[in-house]
Amino acid sequence: MADKRIPGIQKCIAVLWPSFLTAVVASGLFFSAFDPDDLVAFGADLEISRLGIYTIGFLLFWLVAAVSGFGTLYFAITNCLRNTPDYPES
Amino acid sequence: MGARNTTGSAKTGSPDEQVEQLLYARQEKIYPREVHGLFARLRVLGVFGLLGIYYLVPWLVWDGRQAVLLDLPARKFHIFFVTFWPQDFIYLAALLITAGLMLFFVTALVGRIWCGYACPQTVWTEAFLWIERKVEGNRMHQQKLDAMPMNARKLRIKATKHFLWLAFAAWTGFTFVGYFTPIVDLGQRLLAFELGPWETFWVIFYGFATYGNAGWMREQVCKYMCPYARFQGAMFDRDTLIISYLPERGEPRGSRKRSADPAELGLGDCIDCTLCVQVCPTGIDIRNGLQYECIACSACIDACDDVMEKMGYRKGLIKYTTENAMEGKQTHMIRARVVIYAIIMLAIISALAYSVVTRTPLGLDVIRDRNQLYRETVEGLIENVYILKILNMDNREHTYRLGVQGMPGVELHMDIKTIRVPAGEVMEFPVRLRVDESDLEARSSTVIFTLEATDASALQVQQEGRFLGPG
């Protein structure tokens, strides 16, 4: 990511952790409303156990939230910090 | 990772930049010194109590089944004598709101008690620190060990520690999955190496999270990752219980002989032994005042009280107090904020308890046959077909009486004589309604299905359906 002053690991945690929490809430809400056994994806019945669908659903929610978080990080840092005087050029 | 220094402004940084540097600097490992005393005993009690609950609860049996089983594969939550269904989601939401409010209430009253004694992060970290101490020795031994170059002895000690940590974490992960799939069965399949891929994934995931958070991250979780730590300050006021050092009594700090009279030397009670800093799990100096990193674990109180006793001074140089008390004012336990939190909390808890107790463990869904709007029978009657989904959420089998209301002259037909649904099952029953065309007032009329258990009249529900005709 753009800002060299923040260690990469910290940026990763800053994105992955809130998106993890969001994914927990989102999958909780989603699977309370929808039974995996009733779901049909792309016209095909899913032949995966409920526990499997829950897991995949959770990981997908996490992925989506993390993508959004990395996007925010990328745009926020490049736009705000590029103009600061001590911004290190790569 | 300390990339901040590349800009060369480290020495001349403004306070803001210094803070930034602090936030982004590589973490120094904290070696909390072991502490004994009243609060340390309370925390150990908390650790044993809470971890005991966590590891034992899945093994409890109630009525021949696992007492607490959040059976995700079967979409049923068993909690002792009650079984919750996805339809009962509202209760879970209410429970979470109650838990949130309770945290607000407790925080306003006694500060970060949660962080210091009950938070899973604290509790598991305590357990991991204990293992570390047993293997590596006390704080001094740990620091020495980390400073020395790798050799056979160091490798052996480190490997032992990580093995024990991983074993404990794996057991934690296994227990976690045991809340969601029957744990006895899970254990048997684990021993036979027959765990499913998803169960294996979650055991490893949760185990790894425990190992990482309690073994490696520790106080950094509280400082950087915990949302509660960020907003708890909003619940604080001048009457909230905090842990504080009393500067008027302690300053000016300084070392002295035990026999020396501090008044003669012009010193306060603080002998500057830095034990309060050494025992702090987040590595702060409580003498700098109330800080966001303080998780109110009271290790510094225990450490300081011990020193005060040895010096023959009064205890309580660091103690539980409030801002008002420190300024010599009255502390008000009961105040608007606390009362309002309490009222909202009690209202939600009562509503929740009332609705759980009076909840009808019976569900009825009416689904119209989608293939045909209506059909005419040979007798010339208009017929609609429905599928009734009956959900017996009770823990025993029932037979039900079905009725229909809201339409004059309507006849109910079913292929079977009795509607019987076993405990905790959903069953579908096809039902036909017939009515004479002259009794129909419009193309679409409302019809009400009523369902009542034959052995318990309190078990009854009704559900609306639509009856379509030629109009």
Side-chain angles (χ1 to χ4, degrees):
Chain A
M1 290 290 138
D3 190 357
K4 300 287 173 296
R5 294 177 302 180
I6 305 173
I9 181 87
Q10 217 151 38
K11 284 183 214 160
C12 282
I13 290 174
V15 169
L16 291 179
W17 173 237
S19 50
F20 171 83
L21 294 178
T22 312
V24 169
V25 175
S27 36
L29 285 172
F30 183 82
F31 289 116
S32 302
F34 303 101
D35 181 345
D37 282 2
D38 297 341
L39 290 180
V40 176
F42 309 111
D45 276 340
L46 300 164
E47 285 176 11
I48 308 174
S49 71
R50 273 198 180 126
L51 201 59
I53 304 275
Y54 291 138
T55 310
I56 293 167
F58 164 73
L59 293 175
L60 279 179
F61 276 121
W62 196 2
L63 180 75
V64 169
V67 165
S68 158
F70 278 116
T72 305
L73 189 69
Y74 177 76
F75 288 116
I77 290 177
T78 39
N79 288 341
C80 298
L81 296 183
R82 187 155 282 164
N83 296 328
T84 54
D86 60 346
Y87 180 76
E89 287 302 329
S90 52
Chain B
M1 295 276 183
R4 180 67 184 82
N5 288 338
T6 55
T7 60
S9 59
K11 276 179 231 156
T12 54
S14 69
D16 270 357
E17 281 174 333
Q18 282 168 11
V19 169
E20 193 179 301
Q21 215 175 321
L22 199 73
L23 285 172
Y24 298 132
R26 198 175 190 293
Q27 285 297 320
E28 296 264 332
K29 188 177 173 194
I30 293 168
Y31 301 86
R33 189 191 176 103
E34 194 176 3
V35 63
H36 302 280
L38 171 67
F39 299 108
R41 280 198 293 278
L42 281 176
R43 195 166 38 261
V44 169
L45 204 67
V47 170
F48 272 98
L50 294 166
L51 289 188
I53 290 172
Y54 175 79
Y55 292 105
L56 289 180
V57 159
W59 299 97
L60 296 181
V61 174
W62 183 277
D63 233 0
R65 58 160 172 78
Q66 191 169 326
V68 176
L69 177 61
L70 313 178
D71 196 343
L72 286 178
R75 292 177 74 74
K76 283 180 221 169
F77 285 9
H78 302 290
I79 297 168
F80 294 98
F81 52 89
V82 211
T83 301
F84 292 99
W85 294 68
Q87 286 83 344
D88 298 320
F89 182 76
I90 183 82
Y91 296 122
L92 183 65
L95 199 67
L96 290 178
I97 293 172
T98 312
L101 277 167
M102 202 175 282
L103 198 59
F104 285 15
F105 174 76
V106 171
T107 307
L109 208 59
V110 289
R112 295 177 72 171
I113 286 278
W114 164 261
C115 300
Y117 299 91
C119 176
Q121 179 63 30
T122 302
V123 168
W124 266 304
T125 301
E126 280 290 322
F128 273 62
L129 282 172
W130 182 79
I131 294 175
E132 190 170 58
R133 246 175 235 136
K134 288 287 158 207
V135 177
E136 293 189 354
N138 65 21
R139 180 175 196 260
M140 216 174 63
H141 287 118
Q142 290 177 21
Q143 281 171 327
K144 257 193 188 155
L145 187 74
D146 281 355
M148 73 167 66
M150 185 54 80
N151 56 32
R153 182 175 157 269
K154 182 171 174 177
L155 187 70
R156 183 174 50 79
I157 292 176
K158 289 284 175 191
T160 310
K161 179 180 84 173
H162 286 286
F163 173 77
L164 290 175
W165 275 3
L166 284 169
F168 186 52
W171 185 33
T172 308
F174 168 76
T175 307
F176 176 73
V177 176
Y179 276 91
F180 302 99
T181 52
I183 197 163
V184 176
D185 176 54
L186 192 73
Q188 285 165 353
R189 281 187 292 126
L190 178 74
L191 293 177
F193 295 103
E194 282 170 5
L195 277 196
W198 307 113
E199 291 157 348
T200 313
F201 169 80
W202 284 110
V203 170
I204 292 174
F205 187 93
Y206 199 83
F208 185 73
T210 308
Y211 171 74
N213 284 339
W216 291 96
M217 310 269 289
R218 297 187 185 170
E219 79 290 343
Q220 296 183 49
V221 173
C222 313
K223 276 153 80 171
Y224 303 116
M225 289 166 73
C226 177
Y228 171 67
R230 301 281 165 121
F231 67 71
Q232 43 83 23
M235 272 88 76
F236 270 58
D237 57 30
R238 307 187 70 78
D239 293 309
T240 300
L241 203 63
I242 52 171
I243 291 176
S244 188
Y245 164 73
L246 306 180
E248 306 81 51
R249 202 189 129 188
E251 300 298 320
R253 64 185 80 158
S255 55
R256 77 282 316 251
K257 286 209 178 86
R258 214 160 98 181
S259 51
D261 178 15
E264 230 169 69
L265 296 165
L267 290 171
D269 279 356
C270 175
I271 64 165
D272 207 10
C273 63
T274 70
L275 275 179
C276 55
V277 182
Q278 293 178 36
V279 296
C280 180
T282 64
I284 58 168
D285 186 343
I286 191 72
R287 295 173 298 177
N288 296 339
L290 184 62
Q291 289 150 79
Y292 150 78
E293 289 91 340
C294 173
I295 57 167
C297 70
S298 10
C300 51
I301 302 186
D302 280 334
C304 189
D305 276 353
D306 204 28
V307 172
M308 291 295 113
E309 200 176 353
K310 280 184 187 142
M311 293 298 292
Y313 299 164
R314 238 176 339 116
K315 286 185 182 182
L317 179 57
I318 304 174
K319 65 172 186 177
Y320 275 111
T321 180
T322 67
E323 278 190 65
N324 271 343
M326 283 173 72
E327 289 166 10
K329 293 180 196 155
Q330 181 83 31
T331 295
H332 308 277
M333 281 263 286
I334 298 165
R335 50 202 196 268
R337 178 194 292 266
V338 172
V339 172
I340 292 169
Y341 286 152
I343 290 174
I344 302 176
M345 195 167 73
L346 286 178
I348 295 183
I349 292 175
S350 329
L352 183 67
Y354 176 79
S355 62
V356 169
V357 169
T358 59
R359 142 185 187 277
T360 313
L362 174 61
L364 174 64
D365 270 340
V366 178
I367 302 156
R368 275 187 52 86
D369 180 20
R370 291 199 184 97
N371 297 324
Q372 236 177 348
L373 290 181
Y374 65 90
R375 87 183 181 98
E376 263 190 75
T377 62
V378 281
E379 298 93 358
L381 298 172
I382 305 295
E383 182 182 86
N384 276 206
V385 180
Y386 304 85
I387 305 282
L388 298 190
K389 249 187 167 172
I390 298 176
L391 177 65
N392 179 6
M393 298 186 272
D394 208 2
N395 288 324
R396 60 196 175 92
E397 181 180 274
H398 288 288
T399 55
Y400 300 97
R401 197 180 304 119
L402 182 67
V404 57
Q405 299 172 353
M407 273 177 70
V410 69
E411 293 170 21
L412 177 76
H413 293 274
M414 284 184 80
D415 294 334
I416 50 159
K417 285 237 162 55
T418 46
I419 303 174
R420 177 175 292 130
V421 185
E425 296 275 328
V426 191
M427 287 179 76
E428 296 184 354
F429 299 91
V431 174
R432 296 183 301 278
L433 292 188
R434 290 177 191 159
V435 70
D436 195 276
E437 200 180 333
S438 60
D439 284 333
L440 282 179
E441 286 162 3
R443 262 172 57 90
S444 165
S445 356
T446 303
V447 61
I448 297 163
F449 291 91
T450 60
L451 190 69
E452 187 186 334
T454 51
D455 53 346
S457 58
L459 276 179
Q460 51 173 317
V461 286
Q462 39 179 272
Q463 192 61 254
E464 270 187 19
R466 302 225 65 79
F467 190 95
L468 302 179

